[in-house]
């Protein structure tokens, strides 16, 4: 197959990225985009039909009826490859959750430096839900018990993991009947690996049955616990003004980019950067101060809680180094490219690894430890500041957008109903009346094999026009942020009339940024609360909602997609299918492809499909939403029925990106900004 080199515009829809890609090509440096052009994917491996589980292989299967040396069929090999990916993705999220639980335990016992319990209300609510005594007890004592309970969920051997109790009752019953409630997080991951060892489980549907249980251990286990503890320790997000794209880097400051996933490190770097000691140290080095920016889900964690700007999403990690303005890129776990180190050698940027689990040859390793968190965070920042003197010419694209992230499920609940009547009722009513046609969760990564951000933002904008409320997480949320879709009225001209009325009435952007990739569990909670509120059925599978990951690339995305299917959602992935089959396979013989769609729909009411064309994704999303509306007996969606009211359209007090009021707001301290935009916080 001939290699094709794409233009910068074909590689990314983002003008800042295009600028950096032109520069990289000019000076002959490779990026993930150019490497993707040069590396033609193996279509046998891409379709999951290559098995290298034992030394008799690798076995590359291309035709129906063909088997591996051991006799394994294409279907068995595809199912085994898929469950292994789901297990790896779930393990990554869950190990993050385990580390958070250990941090909570250490904080509760006064063994850490710099951390404290910020959201006592959430701690008490969660603990009470698990019947941990809360009355008359200090937050630390409650936190200690919750940490013990959560730590035990990972190694539990029998029974059911406890966060499962937070799913709708009907869903729990269904999972029980199917025998897929996880016993313990680690147990399901280990069993997935055992079953796929040579000579074990060789019935594809039986393997995929365990894929559901493994994914549930992530979504209603490891990931959910990670989000809970992050909120307890660092605060439950509420709306806050932030900025996104490479233009957030500053010429006159020491730029430190934090990249990865776990907020334990990044939150402490935020705290350290604001200490007089570090500010003075930076000034002594000739800079105005330290400018922090995030990449990937670390960006989402500190953007949602602290308003720290996001330099970009997954494919911006190399591009930020190309600006020549980054003194240090501090990474922890997941989605960190090895290429960063060799790229950084062409600039002055130091790549600093910090996790005991992650080292990259050639990077500086400064191991992070929550017991000395603040001291280590300051040490890291001093390394970056010392490097400021080595900076040469910079080329920061003048491209950035403002956004309002911070829509935790607690905040959505509050904003819809106020302090005393916090409720999902207004959202359910808006869907029932047809003002909002349905809900789409658009999540997941960037992938250099497709045009960066294009599918995310195209699908988002088309669905908004169809009165579909959009919630987003992960790198998809940053894609929308860069396009200005996460900012109140700035995005409202792109929204259908009924949805626009709701956004204006409630005072929300048309796209709600709900957090990082572990925070997809917030979406599960919203869907559960919508089901429990009444009027939209009594299970997640009844709600007119669809999940989409238009530019997926990670194994974590497959785990997320699968736990959403098991929870009852229709999930559409863009890009290529990891179980796609070869073009000459008869479609009906694609057992795995059919089973994760039709088979899972029959069992769980949710299905997983891979659809490359963005317009078909939109068509299928709307078809599904309308099918669910009809099943609930709701009026058919009518595009022109609502939106004639101008009661809110010209209301005073609404903000528009770039206008004077927005500039005034940007100058306010954090708490005042939040209050001016959305009233007092629920916390
Ligand atoms: Fe080949 Fe079977 Fe070994 Fe896989 S497990 S590599 S199909 S012999
Ligand atoms: S960082 S998993 S590229 S969303 Fe969570 Fe982004 Fe996907 Fe990594």
């Amino acid at each position: 197959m001939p290699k094709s080199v794409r233009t910068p515009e074909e590689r990314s829809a983002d003008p800042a990225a295009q600028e950096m890609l032109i520069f990289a090509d000019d000076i002959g440096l490779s990026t993930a985009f150019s490497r993707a052009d040069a590396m033609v994917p193996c279509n046998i491996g891409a379709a999951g039909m290559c098995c290298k589980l034992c030394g008799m292989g690798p076995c590359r299967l291309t035709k129906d009826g063909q088997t591996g040396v051991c006799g394994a069929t294409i279907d068995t090999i595809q199912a085994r490859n898929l469950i292994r990916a789901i297990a790896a993705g779930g393990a990554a999220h869950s190990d993050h959750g385990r580390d958070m639980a250990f941090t909570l335990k250490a904080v509760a016992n006064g063994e850490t430096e710099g951390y404290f319990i910020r959201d006592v209300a959430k701690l008490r609510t969660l603990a009470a839900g698990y019947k941990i005594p809360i009355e008359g007890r200090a937050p630390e004592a409650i936190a200690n018990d919750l940490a013990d309970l959560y730590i035990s969920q990972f190694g539990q051997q029998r029974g059911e993991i406890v966060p499962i109790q937070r799913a709708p009752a009907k869903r729990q019953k269904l999972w029980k009947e199917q025998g897929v409630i996880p016993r313990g997080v680690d147990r399901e991951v280990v069993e997935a690996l055992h079953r796929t060892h040579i000579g074990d489980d060789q019935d594809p549907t039986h393997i995929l049955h365990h894929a559901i249980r493994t994914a549930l251990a992530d979504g209603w286990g490891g990931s959910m616990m990670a989000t809970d503890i992050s909120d307890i320790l660092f605060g439950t997000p509420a709306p806050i003004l932030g900025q996104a794209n490479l233009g957030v880097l500053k010429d006159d400051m020491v730029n430190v980019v934090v990249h990865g996933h776990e907020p334990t490190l990044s939150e402490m770097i935020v705290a350290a950067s604001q200490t007089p000691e570090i500010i003075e140290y930076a000034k002594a080095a000739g800079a105005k101060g330290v400018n922090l920016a995030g990449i990937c889900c670390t960006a989402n964690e500190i953007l949602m809680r602290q308003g720290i700007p996001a330099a970009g999403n997954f494919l911006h990690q190399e591009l930020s180094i190309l600006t020549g303005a980054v003194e240090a890129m501090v990474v922890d776990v997941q989605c960190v490219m090895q290429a960063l180190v060799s790229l950084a050698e062409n600039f002055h940027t130091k790549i600093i690894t910090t996790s005991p689990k992650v080292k990259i040859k050639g990077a500086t390793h400064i191991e992070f430890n929550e017991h000395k968190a603040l001291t280590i965070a300051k040490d890291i920042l001093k390394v970056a500041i010392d490097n400021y003197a080595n900076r040469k010419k910079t080329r920061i694209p003048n491209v950035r957008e403002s956004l309002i992230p911070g829509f935790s499920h607690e905040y959505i609940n509050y904003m819809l109903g106020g302090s005393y009547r916090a409720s999902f009722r207004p959202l359910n009513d808006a869907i029932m009346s047809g003002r909002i046609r349905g809900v789409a969760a658009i999540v997941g990564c960037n992938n250099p094999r497709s045009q960066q951000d294009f599918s995310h933002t195209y699908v988002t904008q088309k669905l908004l026009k169809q009165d579909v409320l959009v919630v987003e997480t992960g790198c998809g949320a940053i894609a929308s942020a860069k396009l200005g879709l996460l900012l109140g009225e700035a995005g409202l001209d792109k929204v259908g009339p009924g949805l626009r009325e709701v956004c204006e009435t409630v005072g929300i952007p048309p796209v709600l940024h709900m957090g990082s990739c572990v925070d997809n569990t917030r979406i599960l909670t919203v869907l559960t609360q919508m089901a429990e509120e009444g009027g939209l059925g009594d299970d997640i599978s009844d709600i007119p909602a669809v999940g989409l990951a238009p530019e997926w690339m990670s194994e974590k995305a497959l785990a997320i997609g699968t736990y959403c299917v098991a929870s009852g959602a229709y999930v559409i992935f863009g890009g290529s299918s990891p179980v796609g089959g070869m073009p000459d396979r008869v479609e009906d013989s694609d057992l795995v492809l059919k089973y994760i769609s039709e088979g899972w729909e029959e069992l769980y009411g949710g299905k997983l499909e891979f659809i490359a064309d963005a317009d078909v994704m939109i068509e299928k999303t709307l078809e599904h939403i309308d099918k669910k509306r009809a099943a609930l007996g709701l009026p058919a969606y009518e595009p022109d029925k609502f939106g004639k009211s101008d009661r809110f359209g010209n209301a005073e007090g609404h903000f528009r990106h770039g206008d004077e009021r927005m500039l005034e707001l940007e100058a306010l301290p954090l708490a005042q900004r939040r209050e001016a935009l959305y009233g007092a916080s629920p916390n």
Side-chain angles (χ1 to χ4, degrees):
M1 194 186 292
K3 294 172 192 166
S4 66
V5 175
R6 294 168 297 167
T7 63
E9 292 76 16
E10 286 167 336
R11 287 174 173 173
S12 176
D14 177 342
Q18 292 165 7
E19 201 176 318
M20 287 296 97
L21 289 172
I22 291 169
F23 171 65
D25 284 348
D26 283 353
I27 60 168
L29 290 178
S30 81
T31 61
F33 298 88
S34 61
R35 292 188 295 274
D37 285 349
M39 172 81 66
V40 177
C42 160
N43 52 8
I44 302 169
M49 301 197 302
C50 173
C51 181
K52 52 184 180 62
L53 291 184
C54 87
M56 294 187 282
C59 300
R60 296 158 73 243
L61 274 52
T62 55
K63 293 187 185 68
D64 280 328
Q66 204 181 0
T67 68
V69 174
C70 67
T73 62
I74 291 182
D75 302 323
T76 298
I77 290 170
Q78 284 186 322
R80 288 198 302 217
N81 286 332
L82 182 60
I83 193 178
R84 281 199 163 213
I86 290 166
H93 279 151
S94 299
D95 211 29
H96 166 170
R98 183 201 324 270
D99 285 343
M100 296 302 305
F102 280 128
T103 304
L104 182 65
K105 173 88 181 161
V107 173
N109 289 285
E111 295 165 0
T112 57
E113 185 189 80
Y115 300 108
F116 56 96
I117 296 167
R118 283 219 181 87
D119 193 340
V120 175
K122 180 151 187 172
L123 168 69
R124 287 171 66 86
T125 305
L126 283 168
Y130 297 126
K131 307 217 171 357
I132 293 172
I134 58 168
E135 289 316 323
R137 300 185 78 204
E140 289 72 21
I142 302 171
N144 184 58
D145 288 355
L146 183 66
D148 283 342
L149 177 69
Y150 274 6
I151 290 166
S152 73
Q153 300 307 296
F154 294 92
Q156 184 171 285
Q157 301 304 319
R158 294 196 183 88
E160 298 177 354
I161 57 170
V162 292
I164 283 287
Q165 301 160 15
R166 288 149 70 178
K170 194 170 169 189
R171 182 87 351 210
Q172 291 182 51
K173 188 167 170 278
L174 173 67
W175 289 335
K176 220 180 263 285
E177 284 161 8
Q178 292 298 331
V180 291
I181 296 191
R183 296 153 291 189
V185 176
D186 297 353
R187 180 164 183 187
E188 307 315 341
V189 173
V190 168
E191 188 170 315
L193 294 178
H194 178 194
R195 283 184 187 223
T196 53
H197 184 272
I198 164 77
D200 277 308
D201 200 354
Q202 282 152 103
D203 175 341
T205 58
H206 193 239
I207 294 168
L208 294 170
H209 178 263
H210 188 67
I212 291 280
R213 199 174 201 177
T214 309
L216 285 173
D218 173 5
W220 293 87
S223 279
M224 192 166 271
M225 293 187 275
T227 298
D228 288 347
I229 300 170
S230 298
D231 286 354
I232 290 168
L233 289 179
F234 306 119
T236 300
I240 186 168
L241 191 59
Q243 288 195 320
N245 218 336
L246 294 173
V248 305
L249 298 174
K250 296 210 168 25
D251 255 325
D252 51 3
M253 296 179 87
V254 174
N255 291 304
V256 177
V257 173
V258 281
H259 170 23
H261 280 79
E262 294 181 350
T264 32
L265 166 71
S266 49
E267 285 282 345
M268 208 41 67
I269 289 188
V270 173
S273 72
Q274 290 160 2
T275 60
E277 179 190 343
I278 291 297
I279 294 168
E280 283 314 311
Y281 197 82
K283 285 191 176 152
K288 279 198 176 153
V290 174
N291 178 45
L292 287 185
I295 289 275
C296 268
C297 283
T298 290
N300 288 319
E301 296 281 358
I302 52 178
L303 176 66
M304 292 272 285
R305 296 192 175 90
Q306 315 281 357
I308 301 295
N313 42 9
F314 176 65
L315 286 176
H316 269 41
Q317 56 188 287
E318 291 176 290
L319 307 184
S320 64
I321 292 174
L322 284 161
T323 63
V326 176
E327 275 57 56
M329 181 174 280
V330 185
V331 304
D332 55 14
V333 294
Q334 301 164 25
C335 304
V336 179
M337 291 189 199
Q338 183 167 359
L340 292 175
V341 173
S342 51
L343 180 66
E345 280 165 6
N346 298 282
F347 302 89
H348 73 305
T349 308
K350 280 193 186 304
I351 306 297
I352 302 176
T353 51
T354 59
S355 165
K357 293 167 201 157
V358 175
K359 284 194 177 182
I360 305 176
K361 198 160 182 283
T364 305
H365 189 73
I366 304 178
E367 199 152 299
F368 188 70
N369 165 355
E370 65 270 19
H371 300 276
K372 289 187 287 169
L374 194 57
T375 306
I376 297 169
K378 284 181 187 169
D379 289 347
I380 290 172
L381 289 177
K382 284 180 183 169
V383 170
I385 295 167
D386 290 343
N387 197 24
Y388 184 62
N390 299 321
R391 186 192 280 187
K392 299 195 177 66
K393 182 175 163 32
T394 62
R395 56 203 72 72
I396 303 171
N398 188 20
V399 183
R400 75 191 75 79
E401 263 296 347
S402 295
L403 73 145
I404 312 264
F407 291 90
S408 55
H409 53 265
E410 287 88 346
Y411 196 86
I412 296 177
N413 211 328
Y414 161 79
M415 100 204 159
L416 288 169
S419 301
Y420 298 105
R421 51 190 168 86
S423 146
F424 275 79
R425 192 69 258 153
L427 177 60
N428 283 22
D429 285 345
I431 294 173
M432 289 164 70
S433 66
R435 241 188 197 92
I436 293 178
R437 186 170 180 176
V439 180
I442 304 180
V443 307
C445 324
N446 284 144
N447 188 324
R449 297 215 173 271
S450 54
Q451 188 188 16
Q452 182 193 15
D453 296 347
F454 170 76
S455 293
H456 276 301
T457 52
Y458 181 78
V459 171
T460 299
Q461 290 178 91
K462 291 278 177 182
L463 290 178
L464 290 175
K465 275 270 177 235
Q466 296 289 325
D467 292 298
V468 175
L469 177 71
V470 177
V471 297
E472 297 195 344
T473 61
C475 291
I478 300 177
S480 285
K482 289 190 287 175
L483 201 75
L485 292 171
L486 302 190
L487 191 66
E489 284 192 355
L492 287 188
D493 55 335
K494 303 182 175 81
V495 168
L499 175 62
R500 189 171 153 240
E501 273 189 354
V502 175
C503 289
E504 287 176 337
T505 307
V506 182
I508 53 168
V511 183
L512 302 180
H513 184 338
M514 294 192 72
S516 62
C517 41
V518 286
D519 292 337
N520 282 305
T521 61
R522 295 190 200 280
I523 299 173
L524 296 179
T525 306
V526 165
L527 293 170
T528 300
Q529 293 187 353
M530 286 170 73
E532 286 169 351
E533 183 62 42
L536 295 177
D538 51 7
D539 196 358
I540 293 173
S541 53
D542 297 329
I543 298 171
V546 177
L548 299 109
E551 299 176 28
W552 79 279
M553 65 88 200
S554 77
E555 290 171 314
K556 290 182 292 169
L558 292 170
I560 294 166
T562 307
Y563 73 63
C564 288
V565 169
S567 303
Y570 176 26
V571 176
I572 300 173
F573 274 46
S576 70
S577 164
V579 291
M582 296 294 284
D584 61 349
R585 280 199 89 192
V586 187
E587 201 174 306
D588 268 3
S589 71
D590 273 344
L591 184 143
V592 173
L593 204 61
K594 273 182 80 146
Y595 187 74
I596 62 176
S597 172
E598 291 163 30
W600 277 351
E601 187 172 35
E602 213 170 286
L603 294 171
Y604 303 104
K607 56 182 172 175
L608 180 58
E609 287 180 351
F610 293 84
I611 299 170
D613 186 306
D615 285 308
V616 181
M617 278 184 220
I618 294 160
E619 202 182 296
K620 293 263 197 174
T621 299
L622 295 173
E623 211 176 273
H624 183 80
I625 284 174
D626 290 346
K627 186 176 95 184
K628 292 290 170 185
R629 291 188 65 86
L632 287 165
L634 300 179
Y637 167 72
E638 286 177 55
D640 301 323
K641 188 168 173 194
F642 298 102
K644 305 207 168 51
S645 155
D646 61 358
R647 186 174 154 213
F648 300 102
N650 299 312
E652 287 283 318
H654 279 168
F655 47 89
R656 195 178 292 278
H657 177 51
D659 71 7
E660 262 178 45
R661 176 158 158 71
M662 182 52 81
L663 295 174
E664 276 167 28
L665 284 169
E666 282 176 4
L668 288 175
L670 174 59
Q672 285 175 38
R673 254 187 274 165
R674 186 179 278 167
E675 204 166 321
L677 284 165
Y678 290 102
S681 161
N683 305 315

